[in-house]
Amino acid sequence: MDETPEFGTEKLRRAWATTESNPHDMEAWSLIIRDAQNRAIDSARPIFERLVTTFPTTGKFWKMYIEQEMRSYNFEKVEKVCLTHCFKCYLFTIKACILTCVVYFSSSFESSLCFWLNPKQFKKCK
C-alpha cells in the first residue's frame, strides 16, 4: 500500500513503519488496530485493507473491518468485504484440500506401483 495514514502520535507512526519493514509484527499491529477502531471508517479503511491483506486468513481482523463498516452503515462495503473474505477462505480451503489429495494419491500410487513391480516384496515397500 502506497498511502500512509495520518497518525496523531509518534508511537503510531513508528508502529506503522515497523509493519512496513516487518509485516507480521503483532505488537505494532495491535497499536495500529486500537487506533483504527477509534477512527471514522474513511480514515481507517486503508489500515484495515492492509491488515486483512497481510493476514488474509485471520477471521478476527476481517470481523473488525466488517464491524467498522457496519457502524457507518456502509452495507454495500460490508457485502463486498464479506464476499472477498468468503472467497479467500474458499480458495484457502480448496488449496489445502488439493494438497492433501495430492499427497494421499501419490502415496497410493507409489504403493500400487511397488506392488505391481514386485508383489513378493510389497510389505517391504510400504
Side-chain angles (χ1 to χ4, degrees), residues 3 5 8-9 13 16 23 29 51 57 90 102 118 123:
E3 177 184 339
T9 66
R13 285 189 283 277
W16 186 261
W29 273 115
L51 178 66
T57 59
Y90 170 75
V102 166
N118 196 351
K123 288 183 180 177

Side-chain angles (χ1 to χ4, degrees), residues 1 3 5 16 41-51 65:
M1 172 179 280
E3 177 184 339
W16 186 261
I41 188 61
D42 291 333
S43 65
R45 192 174 289 124
I47 296 169
F48 283 113
E49 287 289 337
R50 182 154 169 242
L51 178 66
Y65 184 14

Side-chain angles (χ1 to χ4, degrees), residues 18 21 26 72 82 92:
T18 300
S21 62
M26 289 309 299
S72 298
C82 286
F92 183 76

Side-chain angles (χ1 to χ4, degrees), residues 53-71:
T53 300
T54 305
F55 302 100
T57 59
T58 306
K60 180 170 87 172
F61 297 148
W62 285 95
K63 183 177 182 260
M64 286 179 197
Y65 184 14
I66 291 165
E67 287 173 346
Q68 192 81 350
E69 290 285 3
M70 287 179 70
R71 275 189 225 113

